[in-house]
Amino acid sequence: MGCSICTVISNKPVAEGLYLMSVEAPGICSTALPGQFVHVRTGDVIDPLLRRPLCINRIDSGNGTLDLLYRVVGRGTAALAGKKPRDPLDVLGPLGNGFTVRGNFRNALVIAGGMGIAPMFFLIDELIRTEKYVTLLWGARTAAELFVSSADFAPGGLTLHTATEDGKAGHAGYVTDLLASILEQLSDAGSARAYTCGPVPMLKTVQKIMSGRGIPVEASLEERMACGIGVCAGCSVNTVQGKKLVCKDGPVMNLMEIVYDE
Amino acid sequence: MSDLSLTIGGLVFKNPVITASGTFGYGTEYAPYLDVSRLGGIVTKTITLLPREGNPVPRVAETPAGMLNSIGLANVGVDEFLKRKLPALADLDTRVIVNIAGNTAEEYAAVAAKAGAFGRVDAIEINVSCPNVKQGGLAFGTDPEATYQVVRAVRNETGKVLITKLTPNVTDITEAARAAVEAGSDALSLINTVLGMGIDITTRKPLLARGTGGLSGPAVKPIAIAKVYQAARCVDVPIIGLGGIRQWEDVVEFMLAGASAVQVGTWNFVEPGGAARIVAGLEQYCASRSLARLADLVGTVDIDET
Ligand SMILES: Cc1cc2nc3c(=O)[nH]c(=O)nc-3n(C[C@H](O)[C@H](O)[C@H](O)COP(=O)(O)OP(=O)(O)OC[C@H]3O[C@@H](n4cnc5c(N)ncnc54)[C@H](O)[C@@H]3O)c2cc1C
Ligand SMILES: Cc1cc2nc3c(=O)[nH]c(=O)nc-3n(C[C@H](O)[C@H](O)[C@H](O)COP(=O)(O)O)c2cc1C
Ligand code: FES
């Protein structure tokens, strides 16, 4: 955990409005866990004022670089999109907790919708490294946003199912449409864990479909943040154990314990 | 070495840089990013008699050069604070100020009595200025008589140094300032957040679930400077200025307006450790200008009286 001025290595669009930035940050890379996030200052300015939380998308520990995958949705992310190689980047992190990767299970089911894919590449790398069978259900708006394939991961480790809202690749519709049938096919549900990240309606659907199956489901959550380290109490989320803070007690939490109001 | 120290109600602060309530947790959260003992003091999150979970989300939002919050005084409650949070501050070489609030004057007094029993608590800051709770808070701060009653009730309970934190959401801040001092406050801190609101024009929803909230950050600094200037001219106790401070130059500006010390709030979120950098900046400023005592700046704004 620290705050440091890192260096942008590359920063390129991978699809319309979707950027992949590589940042040299050996200190962060040496301790980061999949699921953790960083809190980034988008410039040495007072407007926009606050840092922007972004998941650690992937890590290259050999080179000490981390990737950020982000969609340009406002002023902060637009400023990030303007960064060039060798630009400095003020990065606070790694922050929050991570996904459970270790443990006595064989099957890992990863359900990602939209920007929910952001924390999953790092997670999948680690799951494959620890010899889990990984199934990724990836939903995106367009085919162009499905910019990596199973070939981009260690051989044999990943089975990929896709869905697009425009119907140009994979299943036409939502990724959660695929979930029930994938669960039926799971050979050994007793030895499975699930991981998910995406918009709230998707998380609610996943919560419904997964309920009563006895498969632990970890979700990476989002909430408006100021400090990112558990100080301002801004990022609160309702759970069965009362209010918790996404930045400190999460961003990864037990999806089954999240209380969504109707 | 120049002298950066100041005294409030007999309590010596080694430098004027204090971290503000609600932006520095319970004092240890930022320890990985700065040496807390570099600071003149720290103020805790507002502590209430019972624990509070706060308001629904979203309860923070960004605005031009600032932010809105409607946290709603989420805190662990005074007993938990004294048992589990305060002990962690034992070895810090900095002043510990506990910020308190209540629904009634009696509740303020009860929290003050509990906190005042601990030696590690150097001073108590009375929050009569939170815009984010229904009862108490701002309702006390906008009514000079109610301000007087709350401060009086606390004064009767504890011999600790008392600082009353005032709201800018009034027409004339000097009324509340005088009331607090008459009731026995040793110092005043100002400003708490400015009542504010933002609306998302696409969804027609307010940026904060609760609608209105408190504005802070660089955007409010000129408001804070004016309030400090007005308050400093009407009372004889030290003023702690805050609102939008992010660099040592801002501290000097607040001191010229009449502040003896300052607090750094929202900037902690942007630059963890920024408060310690401001201390270093002030040291350099004094050294480069051969200023023997930083306190000599207080209230020396050069303004033509008309
Ligand atoms: C833990 C966490 C991890 C995230 N990881 C990623 C990621 O890997 N890739 C990615 O594209 N996005 C991610 N997001 C969302 C991302 O933080 C926002 O898209 C971004 O802050 C928008 O900033 P902006 O200035 O472009 O938008 P604006 O709308 O101009 O931002 C205004 C304010 O709202 C906040 N905000 C806006 N949208 C969100 C949001 N969805 N969640 C939280 N705060 C928001 C901003 O931080 C800022 O304070 C993550 C959010 C969280 C909480
Ligand atoms: C997220 C947040 C929480 C706050 N919580 C409190 C609080 O609990 N008690 C209090 O007296 N002031 C609280 N404040 C107000 C600050 O202490 C300070 O008065 C105000 O933010 C102006 O200073 P700044 O511009 O440096 O932040 C809070 C401010 C913010 C931004
Ligand atoms: S963002 Fe401040 S507590 Fe989570």
Side-chain angles (χ1 to χ4, degrees):
Chain A
M1 183 162 57
C3 182
S4 56
I5 307 298
C6 304
T7 308
V8 175
I9 302 293
S10 63
N11 188 28
K12 296 183 294 263
V14 290
E16 201 184 325
L18 195 63
Y19 282 73
L20 186 66
M21 181 190 283
S22 234
V23 184
E24 188 174 58
I28 296 174
C29 293
S30 64
T31 64
L33 305 169
Q36 286 189 300
F37 70 102
V38 291
H39 213 20
V40 178
R41 235 183 128 186
T42 60
D44 189 9
V45 293
I46 57 169
D47 191 36
L49 181 68
L50 299 175
R51 289 172 180 271
R52 299 297 192 258
L54 295 172
C55 294
I56 300 174
N57 172 244
R58 208 163 189 178
I59 274 197
D60 180 341
S61 44
N63 287 319
T65 59
L66 64 82
D67 289 351
L68 302 172
L69 178 66
Y70 59 97
R71 192 189 300 283
V72 174
V73 296
R75 295 187 311 152
T77 44
L80 282 181
K83 302 278 178 203
K84 305 210 159 34
R86 286 186 295 281
D87 279 354
L89 191 73
D90 182 342
V91 185
L92 178 64
L95 302 176
N97 64 0
F99 289 111
T100 307
V101 175
R102 287 172 204 293
N104 200 8
F105 62 99
R106 283 159 45 92
N107 293 305
L109 196 57
V110 179
I111 308 139
M115 282 317 303
I117 195 66
M120 297 310 191
F121 296 167
F122 187 12
L123 172 68
I124 292 168
D125 285 338
E126 289 298 304
L127 288 168
I128 295 177
R129 213 169 54 79
T130 52
E131 296 177 340
K132 314 291 193 243
Y133 298 102
V134 184
T135 304
L136 169 62
L137 309 186
W138 183 1
R141 288 187 198 167
T142 64
E145 290 185 2
L146 302 167
F147 69 102
V148 304
S149 68
S150 42
D152 294 296
F153 294 87
L158 176 67
T159 310
L160 177 61
H161 301 268
T162 58
T164 50
E165 282 171 46
D166 66 2
K168 296 259 169 66
H171 167 77
Y174 292 128
V175 68
T176 43
D177 303 341
L178 305 172
L179 182 55
S181 69
I182 297 282
L183 283 167
E184 301 309 316
Q185 293 163 31
L186 259 188
S187 55
D188 188 4
S191 173
R193 291 189 76 94
Y195 308 85
T196 186
C197 184
V200 168
M202 181 196 112
L203 295 180
K204 284 186 184 172
T205 307
V206 173
Q207 197 184 48
K208 245 182 229 129
I209 297 175
M210 296 301 290
S211 95
R213 291 184 192 261
I215 301 176
V217 193
E218 289 178 324
S220 170
L221 304 177
E222 267 185 15
E223 194 42 71
R224 302 286 151 148
M225 294 186 172
C227 71
I229 64 163
V231 165
C232 72
C235 61
S236 113
V237 56
N238 292 321
T239 77
V240 293
Q241 293 144 29
K243 286 198 172 168
K244 295 203 167 185
L245 298 177
V246 170
C247 71
K248 189 178 89 178
D249 306 313
V252 176
M253 293 193 191
N254 181 344
L255 179 67
M256 296 315 183
E257 294 186 357
I258 304 301
V259 179
Y260 290 111
D261 37 48
E262 280 319 305
Chain B
M1 270 292 276
S2 318
D3 179 9
L4 269 65
S5 73
L6 64 132
T7 307
I8 295 177
L11 197 65
V12 177
F13 289 71
K14 62 185 168 191
N15 69 58
V17 181
I18 303 167
T19 48
S21 182
T23 66
F24 208 69
Y26 299 106
T28 55
E29 291 87 340
Y30 276 111
Y33 307 98
L34 84 171
D35 176 5
V36 180
S37 294
R38 278 289 272 157
L39 304 174
I42 58 177
V43 183
T44 68
K45 175 73 191 168
T46 290
I47 309 289
T48 51
L49 201 52
L50 298 175
R52 293 176 58 95
E53 287 206 319
N55 292 322
V57 294
R59 57 193 200 184
V60 290
E62 192 181 62
T63 55
M67 66 174 283
L68 291 164
N69 89 79
S70 61
I71 305 296
L73 303 185
N75 80 97
V76 297
V78 66
D79 293 330
E80 176 79 1
F81 168 74
L82 293 170
K83 199 162 143 206
R84 304 217 191 279
K85 305 288 183 186
L86 188 64
L89 308 179
D91 296 330
L92 293 179
D93 177 21
T94 193
R95 292 301 181 190
V96 173
I97 302 168
V98 175
N99 181 300
I100 65 166
N103 292 320
T104 60
E106 292 71 32
E107 257 184 55
Y108 277 89
V111 181
K114 287 186 181 225
F118 285 74
R120 179 66 276 223
V121 176
D122 293 306
I124 289 174
E125 181 172 66
I126 306 169
N127 179 4
V128 286
S129 42
C130 180
N132 299 322
V133 290
K134 280 210 189 79
Q135 282 179 301
L138 199 53
F140 291 112
T142 50
D143 173 358
E145 175 56 27
T147 302
Y148 179 90
Q149 295 302 340
V150 168
V151 177
R152 193 76 230 161
V154 173
R155 179 78 291 169
N156 288 337
E157 281 304 328
T158 176
K160 295 280 181 192
V161 168
L162 292 187
I163 302 159
T164 306
K165 185 165 180 182
L166 302 181
T167 174
N169 304 312
V170 290
T171 314
D172 181 2
I173 200 159
T174 64
E175 293 176 359
R178 283 201 193 88
V181 173
E182 270 167 39
S185 195
D186 299 293
L188 304 174
S189 55
L190 54 138
I191 57 173
N192 206 320
T193 53
V194 179
L195 191 68
M197 181 170 178
I199 301 167
D200 182 323
I201 62 166
T202 318
T203 62
R204 299 193 185 195
K205 297 264 189 212
L207 298 184
L208 299 173
R210 201 164 173 269
T212 60
L215 180 65
S216 65
V220 307
K221 197 184 76 173
I223 299 172
I225 296 279
K227 300 287 179 191
V228 166
Y229 174 73
Q230 291 170 335
R233 288 158 57 102
C234 86
V235 294
D236 280 333
V237 300
I239 308 279
I240 302 173
L242 73 154
I245 294 177
R246 66 188 170 92
Q247 51 191 12
W248 67 263
E249 290 91 331
D250 299 327
V251 179
V252 171
E253 190 179 349
F254 270 91
M255 294 184 88
L256 294 175
S260 299
V262 298
Q263 291 177 10
V264 179
T266 301
W267 194 252
N268 293 303
F269 306 151
V270 181
E271 188 194 351
R277 198 181 45 76
I278 292 174
V279 175
L282 287 172
E283 286 169 350
Q284 268 170 22
Y285 168 75
C286 289
S288 68
R289 311 247 322 204
S290 306
L291 207 65
R293 268 172 44 95
L294 185 61
D296 289 343
L297 287 183
V298 175
T300 59
V301 55
D302 183 5
I303 190 164
D304 290 330
E305 308 284 338
T306 49

